[in-house]
Amino acid sequence: MTDEQGLVRPSGVWATAVGVARVRALETERENALFRDPLARAFATAGGLWPSSSPLPDDEAARRRRQAMSLSIVIRTKFLDDLLRQACASGIRQVVLLGAGMDSRAFRMDWPEGTRLFEVDTAAPLDFKASVLRQERAVARCERITVAVDLREDWPGALAVAGHDPAAPTMWIAEGLLIYLPEDAVELLLARISSQSAAGSRMGLTLGSRGVIERFGADAAPGSAASMWISEAPDDPVRWLAGHGWEAGSHTLRDRAAAYGRPVSAPPQLEEGPGGLISAVRR
């Protein structure tokens, strides 16, 4: 569907990307922001989530859950930004964002000369995003290539047609994606990533920590992000990725938040094991 200005109206899972943009816009306005995303506010505005979203719930537990979700978006954004910089420093010049949504890294980060960044998503979010980018006269800081394909289809084939070279190392990012996929789809996605990854390729993943669906999804409003969550992190994500040929490290949102100067004051509701944020290198 489109609105009166001709913009594709956000709907379904990809509409959550506009909510993520709103959180990034709010972070950008902070004096001590962990990152700056100058396009986030434009995405949120076009999606009807700026200057305001739904009011904070009266229920204290629900309010804490919303704040926790916002913090998780901020921390994972910073974490993946850092991984991308490390990948570039290692010489990687090929980046693939899977389920790119309203990601604006092609526009807001500094990229080495020769970097090619592929944004893979379905046509609807890419069309919405393109409309906003034209309106903002945004100019990418690297070669940006959009690939309109459903991740349930032959996206590696579409990526190859767009110019991706599986013989060269790639930095893969799957941010806020896997939690929306059933377990078999997660396995297929990882198998496909692995088959397209030369030795030395890198990967940054975000996973739903153990227990997150129980804590956030039980009373989630219909159509909200949490209401569409399906899968959580494996019990041992490092071992899981090793089985696919990757050397991985995992971090909790809590430990990364503390490292970034945003410690979580609330005590953990569950004993926190590995999960959340994953960095990996292809062997």
mmCIF file of all heavy atoms in Angstrom, residues 5 13 18 27 34 37-38 61 92 112 153 155 162-163 170-171 194 202 210 225-226 234 248 258 283:
data_model
loop_
_atom_site.group_PDB
_atom_site.id
_atom_site.type_symbol
_atom_site.label_atom_id
_atom_site.label_comp_id
_atom_site.label_asym_id
_atom_site.label_seq_id
_atom_site.Cartn_x
_atom_site.Cartn_y
_atom_site.Cartn_z
ATOM 1 N N GLN A 5 1.411 10.579 -0.512
ATOM 2 C CA GLN A 5 2.644 11.090 -1.116
ATOM 3 C C GLN A 5 3.319 10.059 -2.027
ATOM 4 O O GLN A 5 4.348 10.324 -2.620
ATOM 5 C CB GLN A 5 3.654 11.509 -0.034
ATOM 6 C CG GLN A 5 3.392 12.880 0.569
ATOM 7 C CD GLN A 5 2.253 12.850 1.567
ATOM 8 O OE1 GLN A 5 2.200 11.970 2.408
ATOM 9 N NE2 GLN A 5 1.341 13.808 1.481
ATOM 10 N N VAL A 13 6.798 -7.490 8.955
ATOM 11 C CA VAL A 13 8.084 -7.504 9.651
ATOM 12 C C VAL A 13 8.936 -6.296 9.291
ATOM 13 O O VAL A 13 9.583 -5.695 10.149
ATOM 14 C CB VAL A 13 8.843 -8.814 9.346
ATOM 15 C CG1 VAL A 13 10.269 -8.735 9.886
ATOM 16 C CG2 VAL A 13 8.129 -9.996 9.974
ATOM 17 N N VAL A 18 11.411 0.635 10.615
ATOM 18 C CA VAL A 18 11.138 2.052 10.833
ATOM 19 C C VAL A 18 11.192 2.362 12.328
ATOM 20 O O VAL A 18 11.687 3.415 12.739
ATOM 21 C CB VAL A 18 9.777 2.446 10.226
ATOM 22 C CG1 VAL A 18 9.487 3.918 10.472
ATOM 23 C CG2 VAL A 18 9.756 2.151 8.730
ATOM 24 N N GLU A 27 18.828 8.232 19.644
ATOM 25 C CA GLU A 27 20.220 8.115 20.092
ATOM 26 C C GLU A 27 21.071 9.216 19.479
ATOM 27 O O GLU A 27 21.934 9.793 20.148
ATOM 28 C CB GLU A 27 20.775 6.743 19.713
ATOM 29 C CG GLU A 27 22.248 6.540 20.025
ATOM 30 C CD GLU A 27 22.571 6.519 21.517
ATOM 31 O OE1 GLU A 27 21.637 6.367 22.341
ATOM 32 O OE2 GLU A 27 23.772 6.659 21.863
ATOM 33 N N LEU A 34 26.357 7.018 21.009
ATOM 34 C CA LEU A 34 27.314 5.987 20.635
ATOM 35 C C LEU A 34 27.533 5.943 19.131
ATOM 36 O O LEU A 34 28.493 5.333 18.650
ATOM 37 C CB LEU A 34 26.841 4.618 21.135
ATOM 38 C CG LEU A 34 26.781 4.445 22.656
ATOM 39 C CD1 LEU A 34 26.303 3.049 23.009
ATOM 40 C CD2 LEU A 34 28.142 4.730 23.288
ATOM 41 N N ASP A 37 23.322 8.863 13.304
ATOM 42 C CA ASP A 37 22.623 8.396 12.099
ATOM 43 C C ASP A 37 21.732 9.533 11.597
ATOM 44 O O ASP A 37 20.575 9.641 11.983
ATOM 45 C CB ASP A 37 21.789 7.154 12.418
ATOM 46 C CG ASP A 37 21.179 6.527 11.175
ATOM 47 O OD1 ASP A 37 21.119 7.206 10.131
ATOM 48 O OD2 ASP A 37 20.754 5.362 11.244
ATOM 49 N N PRO A 38 22.259 10.416 10.739
ATOM 50 C CA PRO A 38 21.512 11.599 10.315
ATOM 51 C C PRO A 38 20.296 11.292 9.443
ATOM 52 O O PRO A 38 19.450 12.166 9.252
ATOM 53 C CB PRO A 38 22.548 12.414 9.546
ATOM 54 C CG PRO A 38 23.583 11.437 9.122
ATOM 55 C CD PRO A 38 23.635 10.396 10.196
ATOM 56 N N ALA A 61 6.386 -2.714 34.262
ATOM 57 C CA ALA A 61 7.108 -3.814 33.625
ATOM 58 C C ALA A 61 7.139 -3.635 32.107
ATOM 59 O O ALA A 61 8.174 -3.853 31.465
ATOM 60 C CB ALA A 61 6.467 -5.146 33.989
ATOM 61 N N ILE A 92 38.996 -6.164 3.988
ATOM 62 C CA ILE A 92 37.753 -6.564 3.316
ATOM 63 C C ILE A 92 37.118 -5.348 2.649
ATOM 64 O O ILE A 92 36.999 -4.280 3.260
ATOM 65 C CB ILE A 92 36.783 -7.213 4.318
ATOM 66 C CG1 ILE A 92 37.332 -8.562 4.773
ATOM 67 C CG2 ILE A 92 35.387 -7.381 3.703
ATOM 68 C CD1 ILE A 92 36.492 -9.258 5.825
ATOM 69 N N PRO A 112 36.684 2.658 3.146
ATOM 70 C CA PRO A 112 37.889 2.698 2.322
ATOM 71 C C PRO A 112 37.518 2.710 0.835
ATOM 72 O O PRO A 112 36.464 2.193 0.436
ATOM 73 C CB PRO A 112 38.620 1.394 2.682
ATOM 74 C CG PRO A 112 38.024 0.950 3.972
ATOM 75 C CD PRO A 112 36.613 1.437 3.984
ATOM 76 N N GLU A 153 13.969 -16.938 -0.917
ATOM 77 C CA GLU A 153 14.195 -17.338 -2.297
ATOM 78 C C GLU A 153 15.698 -17.459 -2.562
ATOM 79 O O GLU A 153 16.495 -17.504 -1.620
ATOM 80 C CB GLU A 153 13.539 -16.312 -3.226
ATOM 81 C CG GLU A 153 12.031 -16.220 -3.026
ATOM 82 C CD GLU A 153 11.405 -15.063 -3.784
ATOM 83 O OE1 GLU A 153 12.144 -14.289 -4.434
ATOM 84 O OE2 GLU A 153 10.163 -14.916 -3.708
ATOM 85 N N TRP A 155 18.441 -15.892 -2.884
ATOM 86 C CA TRP A 155 19.131 -14.614 -2.732
ATOM 87 C C TRP A 155 20.619 -14.709 -3.082
ATOM 88 O O TRP A 155 21.183 -13.726 -3.584
ATOM 89 C CB TRP A 155 18.922 -14.034 -1.337
ATOM 90 C CG TRP A 155 19.451 -14.827 -0.197
ATOM 91 C CD1 TRP A 155 18.763 -15.696 0.590
ATOM 92 C CD2 TRP A 155 20.799 -14.826 0.298
ATOM 93 N NE1 TRP A 155 19.596 -16.241 1.538
ATOM 94 C CE2 TRP A 155 20.841 -15.721 1.386
ATOM 95 C CE3 TRP A 155 21.960 -14.150 -0.069
ATOM 96 C CZ2 TRP A 155 22.006 -15.977 2.105
ATOM 97 C CZ3 TRP A 155 23.125 -14.391 0.641
ATOM 98 C CH2 TRP A 155 23.147 -15.299 1.715
ATOM 99 N N ALA A 162 24.104 -9.294 -8.975
ATOM 100 C CA ALA A 162 24.377 -7.896 -8.623
ATOM 101 C C ALA A 162 25.868 -7.588 -8.545
ATOM 102 O O ALA A 162 26.251 -6.421 -8.417
ATOM 103 C CB ALA A 162 23.709 -7.558 -7.292
ATOM 104 N N GLY A 163 26.715 -8.639 -8.587
ATOM 105 C CA GLY A 163 28.150 -8.396 -8.611
ATOM 106 C C GLY A 163 28.941 -8.908 -7.427
ATOM 107 O O GLY A 163 30.154 -8.697 -7.354
ATOM 108 N N THR A 170 34.153 -11.493 2.415
ATOM 109 C CA THR A 170 32.956 -10.665 2.585
ATOM 110 C C THR A 170 32.710 -10.420 4.062
ATOM 111 O O THR A 170 32.959 -11.294 4.894
ATOM 112 C CB THR A 170 31.721 -11.380 1.993
ATOM 113 O OG1 THR A 170 31.934 -11.647 0.616
ATOM 114 C CG2 THR A 170 30.458 -10.533 2.147
ATOM 115 N N MET A 171 32.217 -9.236 4.397
ATOM 116 C CA MET A 171 31.702 -8.962 5.733
ATOM 117 C C MET A 171 30.192 -9.038 5.661
ATOM 118 O O MET A 171 29.552 -8.279 4.919
ATOM 119 C CB MET A 171 32.134 -7.573 6.208
ATOM 120 C CG MET A 171 31.581 -7.190 7.580
ATOM 121 S SD MET A 171 32.223 -8.266 8.896
ATOM 122 C CE MET A 171 31.146 -7.838 10.269
ATOM 123 N N SER A 194 27.674 -19.289 4.420
ATOM 124 C CA SER A 194 28.936 -20.018 4.469
ATOM 125 C C SER A 194 29.396 -20.430 3.077
ATOM 126 O O SER A 194 30.594 -20.373 2.762
ATOM 127 C CB SER A 194 28.790 -21.245 5.377
ATOM 128 O OG SER A 194 28.421 -20.851 6.695
ATOM 129 N N ARG A 202 34.106 -12.350 7.272
ATOM 130 C CA ARG A 202 33.663 -12.071 8.640
ATOM 131 C C ARG A 202 32.150 -11.947 8.681
ATOM 132 O O ARG A 202 31.499 -11.768 7.657
ATOM 133 C CB ARG A 202 34.325 -10.794 9.167
ATOM 134 C CG ARG A 202 35.841 -10.880 9.208
ATOM 135 C CD ARG A 202 36.463 -9.709 9.929
ATOM 136 N NE ARG A 202 37.918 -9.845 9.980
ATOM 137 C CZ ARG A 202 38.676 -9.330 10.941
ATOM 138 N NH1 ARG A 202 38.114 -8.632 11.924
ATOM 139 N NH2 ARG A 202 39.984 -9.479 10.919
ATOM 140 N N ARG A 210 18.436 -16.285 25.094
ATOM 141 C CA ARG A 210 17.555 -17.308 25.638
ATOM 142 C C ARG A 210 16.543 -16.674 26.589
ATOM 143 O O ARG A 210 16.873 -15.868 27.445
ATOM 144 C CB ARG A 210 18.362 -18.367 26.395
ATOM 145 C CG ARG A 210 19.459 -19.033 25.584
ATOM 146 C CD ARG A 210 18.942 -19.729 24.339
ATOM 147 N NE ARG A 210 18.103 -20.872 24.671
ATOM 148 C CZ ARG A 210 17.449 -21.604 23.772
ATOM 149 N NH1 ARG A 210 17.514 -21.285 22.492
ATOM 150 N NH2 ARG A 210 16.731 -22.635 24.148
ATOM 151 N N ALA A 225 7.006 -5.682 17.115
ATOM 152 C CA ALA A 225 8.162 -6.513 16.785
ATOM 153 C C ALA A 225 8.156 -7.808 17.594
ATOM 154 O O ALA A 225 8.318 -8.904 17.048
ATOM 155 C CB ALA A 225 9.442 -5.725 17.037
ATOM 156 N N ALA A 226 7.947 -7.692 18.909
ATOM 157 C CA ALA A 226 8.020 -8.873 19.774
ATOM 158 C C ALA A 226 6.964 -9.909 19.438
ATOM 159 O O ALA A 226 7.169 -11.103 19.645
ATOM 160 C CB ALA A 226 7.903 -8.450 21.236
ATOM 161 N N PRO A 234 20.986 -20.399 19.885
ATOM 162 C CA PRO A 234 21.276 -21.769 20.329
ATOM 163 C C PRO A 234 21.883 -21.742 21.728
ATOM 164 O O PRO A 234 22.394 -20.713 22.181
ATOM 165 C CB PRO A 234 22.291 -22.266 19.288
ATOM 166 C CG PRO A 234 22.150 -21.349 18.121
ATOM 167 C CD PRO A 234 21.737 -20.020 18.679
ATOM 168 N N ALA A 248 33.977 -18.129 16.195
ATOM 169 C CA ALA A 248 33.084 -17.081 16.680
ATOM 170 C C ALA A 248 33.350 -16.713 18.132
ATOM 171 O O ALA A 248 33.900 -17.486 18.911
ATOM 172 C CB ALA A 248 31.623 -17.534 16.526
ATOM 173 N N ALA A 258 27.939 -2.281 29.153
ATOM 174 C CA ALA A 258 28.883 -1.823 30.167
ATOM 175 C C ALA A 258 30.172 -1.333 29.513
ATOM 176 O O ALA A 258 30.728 -0.300 29.905
ATOM 177 C CB ALA A 258 29.181 -2.952 31.154
ATOM 178 N N ARG A 283 36.903 -19.743 8.608
ATOM 179 C CA ARG A 283 38.178 -20.458 8.626
ATOM 180 C C ARG A 283 38.612 -20.822 7.208
ATOM 181 O O ARG A 283 37.783 -20.925 6.298
ATOM 182 C CB ARG A 283 38.058 -21.740 9.463
ATOM 183 C CG ARG A 283 37.784 -21.472 10.950
ATOM 184 C CD ARG A 283 38.034 -22.736 11.766
ATOM 185 N NE ARG A 283 37.068 -23.771 11.410
ATOM 186 C CZ ARG A 283 36.163 -24.294 12.267
ATOM 187 N NH1 ARG A 283 36.111 -23.842 13.494
ATOM 188 N NH2 ARG A 283 35.363 -25.243 11.905
#
